[in-house]
């Protein structure tokens, strides 16, 4: 519908305005604001039947070309005026930014990694690990090796080559690589890190069978070797007792990986042979540290939970001291400590002797965006986790109920506004149809009279929601076990959310292609230092190509063929309130 040229008179001035019949009164007021400087909420525009309202459909005015409207109102002055100030910081446009500046903008496309010849297994691993904020922060504190200076006296670290020393420090290489990736949006070549990896672990320098270039490798092996090296090298200064100096007591340092990635099993090993038990052979109790959970896949495995459960019970063959011969034992593991970050490995590859290669199990195994592992824990840990987990579920349900109530109120309010508008329209067309007659008709029909209903504003609902959430957080904080609360690198609810995935496409570990999916973080609020709500989308890292995908794409990565299927899952403990958070509120 074409715009209609009209005239608006205001304080002796006449303004020519194009009225768009498809828009609303609010849009028209903003047009006049740009011309007169009078804020929309202070404008009174006279139209037939009264004043123009914000939600009025302009087509209903039936305006004619050249028609004149009268506007009253003055701009806000004094205390109510909105002061327009010059921006404190100089405005810099995207096209004027350096690549490093553009890469640091919130929501900017993250850097990919160039494939240096069958290195997709490494690229996908590095991108998934890079999604861990605590790892990034700790790497930034990692000292530059003293051997980073070359024989010519040039400090290589200033060129991002600080790890290129005689020892090729893998941790320093990772630190430098992540820093370089944060300063670009282009595909970056991980040359120094790859050289360090191949020197430290020669298996990754294996040549291809054809002799042309390097062989494809298993991403899970790269993940395990990198994590094991970080476990040795990347340390956190543990808080010390009063009067002691952490710098002089290296024994107080703890491994970053042990704090955030390592869990602990309590194990029971028992002989399956009944005669051994009857002869007095006792169960063997022990403890094991784990850096990942395996998901074993067989003909009965349909879900991640099935595979984890199967992996926690394994059969062993060893000599029975009571029977004096080889016997089968069952080793049962239960989790006694849950790390903040839980790595799950789909054991999809096995050695196929006749083909002399690692073949792939194609079976479809689904996995959840939120994983509850309480059932795999010891009784002791379970008793600490269950109250917290159940309270989290209760809080979520309450929030959903409030959201639904809010939607119901908005719907009811809209219906009431529409009903009243319809009644007024009927009154204008039929003056004899009075309110009393309407009420009489309702009474005859047996309906109750309508009473005035007070509808809450969005601000009132938000205030109620905030108060409710704060009260729930305090209660949740109070039920966390004190001993568990001291371990800030542990999961305190038993519930995890999916944050990263390494996928494999193909029929064997020695071929095919690896990629990574990383969940997008919410935009960081520069004023509060907190992140806004996430949009649920993911980054897909396909070597140097990076794209954004919807959450529905993740549901297609369960396997079932040679297409992309999950090989490694990275889960993070769901966020819980801390004493520091509550003190800041």
């Amino acid at each position: 519908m074409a715009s209609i040229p009209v005239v608006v008179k205001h304080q002796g001035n006449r303004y020519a305005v194009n009225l768009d019949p498809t828009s609303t009164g609010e849009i028209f007021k903003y047009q006049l604001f740009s011309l007169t400087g009078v804020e929309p909420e202070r404008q009174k525009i006279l139209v037939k039947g009264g004043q123009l309202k914000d939600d009025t459909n302009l087509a209903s005015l039936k305006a004619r070309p050249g028609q004149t409207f009268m506007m009253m109102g003055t701009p806000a002055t004094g205390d109510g005026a909105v002061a327009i100030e010059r921006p404190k910081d100089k405005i810099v446009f995207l096209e004027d930014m350096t690549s490093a500046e553009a890469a640091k903008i919130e929501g900017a496309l993250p850097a990919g990694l160039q494939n240096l010849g069958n290195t997709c297994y490494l690229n996908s691993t590095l991108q998934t690990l890079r999604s861990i904020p605590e790892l990034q922060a700790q790497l930034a504190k990692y000292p530059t090796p003293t051997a980073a200076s070359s024989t010519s006296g040039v400090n290589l670290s200033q060129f991002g080559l600080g790890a290129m020393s005689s020892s090729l420090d893998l941790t320093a290489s990772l630190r430098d690589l992540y820093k370089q990736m944060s300063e670009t949006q282009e595909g970056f070549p991980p040359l120094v890190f790859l050289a360090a990896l191949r020197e430290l672990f020669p298996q990754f320098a294996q040549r291809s069978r054809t002799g042309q270039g390097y062989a494809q490798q298993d991403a899970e092996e790269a993940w395990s070797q990198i994590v094991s090296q970080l476990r040795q090298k990347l340390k956190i200064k543990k808080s010390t007792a009063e009067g002691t100096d952490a710098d002089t007591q290296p024994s107080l340092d703890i491994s970053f990986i042990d704090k955030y990635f390592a869990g602990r099993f309590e194990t029971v090993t028992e002989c399956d042979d009944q005669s051994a038990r009857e002869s007095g052979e006792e169960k063997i109790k022990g403890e094991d540290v784990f850096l990942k959970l395996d998901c074993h896949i067989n003909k009965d495995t349909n879900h991640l939970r099935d595979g984890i459960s199967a992996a926690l019970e394994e059969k062993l063959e060893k000599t029975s001291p009571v029977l004096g011969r080889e016997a089968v034992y069952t080793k049962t593991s239960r989790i006694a400590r849950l790390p903040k970050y839980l790595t799950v490995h789909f054991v999809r590859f096995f050695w196929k002797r006749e083909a002399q290669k690692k073949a792939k199990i194609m079976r479809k195994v689904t996995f959840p965006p939120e994983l509850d592992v309480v059932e795999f824990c010891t009784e002791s840990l379970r008793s600490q986790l269950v109250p917290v987990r159940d309270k989290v579920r209760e809080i979520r349900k309450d929030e959903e109920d409030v959201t639904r109530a809010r939607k119901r109120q908005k719907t009811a309010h809209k219906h009431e506004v529409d009903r009243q508008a319809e009644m007024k329209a009927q009154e204008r067309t039929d003056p004899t149809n009075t309110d009393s007659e309407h009420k009489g008709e309702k009474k005859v029909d047996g309906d109750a009279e309508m009473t005035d209903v007070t509808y809450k504003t969005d601000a009132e609902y938000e205030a109620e929601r905030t108060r409710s959430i704060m009260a729930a957080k305090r209660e949740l904080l109070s039920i966390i076990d004190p001993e568990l609360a001291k371990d800030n690198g542990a999961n305190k609810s038993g519930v995890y959310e999916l944050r990263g995935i390494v996928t494999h496409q193909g029929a064997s570990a020695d071929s095919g292609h690896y990629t990574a999916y990383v969940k997008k973080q919410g935009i960081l609020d520069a004023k509060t230092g907190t992140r806004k709500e996430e949009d649920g989308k993911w980054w897909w890292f396909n070597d140097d190509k990076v794209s954004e995908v919807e959450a529905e794409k993740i549901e297609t990565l369960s396997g079932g063929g040679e297409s992309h299927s999950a090989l490694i899952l990275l889960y993070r403990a769901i966020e819980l309130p801390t004493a520091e958070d509550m003190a800041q509120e």
Side-chain angles (χ1 to χ4, degrees), residues 14-54:
R14 296 170 65 86
Y15 298 95
V17 184
N18 287 324
L19 185 148
D20 182 1
T22 63
S23 64
T24 63
E26 183 180 24
I27 302 298
F28 189 56
K29 288 181 179 181
Y30 273 103
Q31 286 180 265
L32 298 179
F33 173 47
S34 66
L35 295 172
T36 65
V38 180
E39 294 83 354
E41 64 271 14
R42 297 177 61 85
Q43 295 178 18
K44 293 182 180 178
I45 302 172
L46 303 181
V47 297
K48 186 175 181 180
Q51 295 181 24
L52 180 66
K53 296 182 179 179
D54 288 350

Side-chain angles (χ1 to χ4, degrees), residues 448-472:
E449 273 193 62
M450 289 290 293
T451 57
D452 291 337
V453 179
T454 302
Y455 293 99
K456 294 179 183 177
T457 64
D458 285 349
E460 289 172 330
Y461 258 113
E462 193 58 35
E464 280 187 11
R465 178 177 176 272
T466 301
R467 287 194 297 271
S468 175
I469 289 175
M470 285 300 297

Side-chain angles (χ1 to χ4, degrees), residues 70 103 140 276 289 346 358 388 407 477 482 504 520 579:
M70 181 69 72
V289 173
F346 286 96
K358 285 184 177 179
V388 182
K407 289 180 179 178
L477 187 60
H504 177 265
K520 289 179 63 181

